[in-house]
Amino acid sequence: MKDMLKNMMYAGIGAAFLTREKLEEMRKELMDKGCLSVEEGKAFVDDLLKKSDVAKGNLEQWIGRKVEEKVKQCHLASADEVAELRRKVEELEAALRKEQGCGCQQDSGAAA
């Protein structure tokens, strides 16, 4: 019983990183030791898979927030901000060419 609780604690802590295959191995081991019935084993795996999905989602959100915070702290431009600046530069180049009377459509090299 103590081993089962220890295994469940470890499973809870590492739920975000467990795969179905690893959970099935744990289930089989617990069933072989007589700690779980077939029904309990299935419920165990299903429950941990759900918890794993939730933990993965929470971890991804947390990492996303931390990355956004660091990007803001570094004053880095986002892809949208860079695209908007490119658009404005192209507009200014076109206006400058028009004002200079060139009228030619030169490649600005911004299509990279």
Side-chain angles (χ1 to χ4, degrees):
M1 183 71 159
K2 187 177 177 182
D3 287 338
M4 184 174 103
L5 290 174
K6 189 191 313 184
N7 284 340
M8 290 186 74
M9 183 186 75
Y10 290 143
I13 292 170
F17 306 103
L18 294 176
T19 63
R20 175 175 280 282
E21 181 178 309
K22 189 65 176 172
L23 288 173
E24 289 292 345
E25 287 176 22
M26 288 175 60
R27 178 193 59 81
K28 184 177 181 334
E29 182 180 323
L30 289 171
M31 287 175 59
D32 289 347
K33 290 180 179 180
C35 297
L36 294 176
S37 69
V38 174
E39 294 83 21
E40 290 172 328
K42 183 180 180 330
F44 171 75
V45 170
D46 290 344
D47 183 52
L48 286 179
L49 283 173
K50 287 177 189 172
K51 287 180 181 178
S52 177
D53 288 342
V54 169
K56 285 177 188 176
N58 291 341
L59 181 62
E60 288 172 0
Q61 288 177 351
W62 181 82
I63 289 171
R65 284 193 305 268
K66 291 299 177 186
V67 168
E68 286 177 17
E69 289 173 12
K70 294 301 177 188
V71 166
K72 286 180 183 177
Q73 288 175 355
C74 294
H75 304 290
L76 298 175
S78 69
D80 290 340
E81 291 169 328
V82 171
E84 178 65 15
L85 288 172
R86 282 187 177 143
R87 186 189 63 75
K88 287 180 180 181
V89 167
E90 289 171 0
E91 286 177 4
L92 289 171
E93 287 175 338
L96 185 59
R97 283 193 302 270
K98 184 177 181 181
E99 189 174 295
Q100 290 176 346
C102 175
C104 58
Q105 296 287 329
Q106 295 177 345
D107 184 6
S108 65

